[in-house]
Amino acid sequence: MASEGKKPARRGRIRPWAVALWLLVWQGASMAIDQQILLVSPVRVVVRLLEMALTAELWTSIGFSLLRIGAGFLLAAALGAGLAALSARFSRVEELFAPAMLAIQSVPVASFIILALIWFSSRSLSVLISFLMVLPVLYANTLGGIRAADAQLLEMAQVFRLPAARRVRYVYLPQVLPYFRSACQAALGLCWKAGIAAEVIGMPDGSIGERLQQAKVYLNTPDLFAWTLVIVLVSLAFQRVFLWLLDRGARALERM
């Protein structure tokens, strides 16, 4: 029998032993193939990443992509939440945006990127693509959270004639925030994948996507893997920081 007070293990948590096992599999496959141009070893990737970390090229590329992809995500989060609130209040607004949201979800990312290159500069392409990929996710989840609000609490707020601002603060926000947070968590990974794909196709000067494309063209496999690792690390860091700020803001609201 499990001892009382013992916390259950978190499902889906990444364990160090699992990471180490997959790195050993990668290393073994690289040694078996013995062709660095086909499959570089993880040791060589880490060494190359450390070499890149000493250059300004890495940090300027991270700053370029982080600024634009982050801006696209934040714009989509703000607009998605705002449109969800309007759609919950006015059915005509939901009917108006339903075809647009369906189209954004249905059209492949590559099609959006190619079409956007006709109208926009490649330097701002990742902002637009990140925005478009995140908007439907944030909109649908936030709208679902608003509609899942406790009907009894809403009725009580109406009986006591709470002002709209207090109704939002005490009734809607505590119930919608979990939906909004889970949507952000899901959308952040999608945002970075779409944003980097836009940079790879558009190749704006100084972006991570341009570095990836150059590594592919010159068959520079260590650089290709190293830049891919950079994308993963920056994406995870951005996700952790944003969710931490969101959770801290939610706790501050609870204490008010």
Side-chain angles (χ1 to χ4, degrees):
M1 180 182 294
S3 60
E4 294 183 5
K6 184 178 180 181
K7 295 181 179 180
R10 290 175 58 188
R11 294 184 179 181
R13 185 177 178 183
I14 296 177
R15 301 290 183 178
W17 69 264
V19 175
L21 178 60
W22 282 110
L23 288 175
L24 286 174
V25 170
W26 179 4
Q27 179 68 32
S30 177
M31 293 173 65
I33 295 174
D34 197 23
Q35 291 289 337
Q36 293 290 302
I37 198 171
L38 295 178
L39 184 61
V40 66
S41 69
V43 175
R44 181 71 186 94
V45 173
V46 172
V47 170
R48 180 58 187 143
L49 180 59
L50 293 175
E51 292 173 353
M52 289 164 53
L54 300 177
T55 66
E57 179 186 83
L58 174 71
W59 302 107
T60 56
S61 297
I62 290 175
F64 182 99
S65 299
L66 179 62
L67 179 64
R68 285 158 177 78
I69 295 175
F73 173 82
L74 294 176
L75 286 172
L79 185 61
L83 289 178
L86 288 174
S87 296
R89 179 66 180 85
F90 305 105
S91 60
R92 294 298 183 190
V93 174
E94 182 182 10
E95 293 170 3
L96 175 65
F97 285 102
M101 295 298 172
L102 180 61
I104 294 172
Q105 288 179 307
S106 304
V107 175
V109 179
S111 298
F112 267 127
I113 295 171
I114 294 170
L115 288 171
L117 276 173
I118 300 174
W119 303 315
F120 298 94
S121 165
S122 62
R123 293 187 66 83
S124 58
L125 182 62
S126 55
V127 179
L128 176 65
I129 298 303
S130 301
F131 171 83
L132 289 175
M133 294 302 104
V134 171
L135 181 62
V137 179
L138 269 296
Y139 171 81
N141 280 267
T142 305
L143 182 58
I146 294 172
R147 288 184 170 159
D150 193 331
Q152 292 182 346
L153 287 177
L154 293 173
E155 184 178 350
M156 183 183 68
Q158 187 174 3
V159 169
F160 287 98
R161 297 181 181 179
L162 281 181
R166 289 191 176 185
R167 192 175 303 182
V168 170
R169 164 67 184 85
Y170 293 108
V171 178
Y172 282 107
L173 273 181
Q175 298 183 75
V176 174
L177 272 176
Y179 288 84
F180 183 78
R181 188 189 189 281
S182 64
C184 289
Q185 192 168 9
L188 277 164
L190 178 64
C191 172
W192 274 90
K193 290 178 183 178
I196 295 297
E199 290 182 351
V200 169
I201 295 176
M203 291 187 64
D205 293 336
S207 66
I208 294 178
E210 183 199 24
R211 310 301 181 197
L212 275 175
Q213 186 67 276
Q214 288 178 346
K216 189 265 291 186
V217 169
Y218 293 106
L219 298 178
N220 192 340
T221 311
D223 275 26
L224 186 61
F225 275 79
W227 280 111
T228 303
L229 183 57
V230 167
I231 296 168
V232 172
L233 294 175
V234 174
S235 174
L236 286 174
F238 183 82
Q239 182 186 62
R240 294 290 178 86
V241 170
F242 179 82
L243 293 178
W244 177 79
L245 290 173
L246 188 63
D247 291 340
R248 187 163 184 174
R251 288 194 296 267
L253 283 173
E254 290 175 358
R255 290 194 297 267
M256 288 175 60

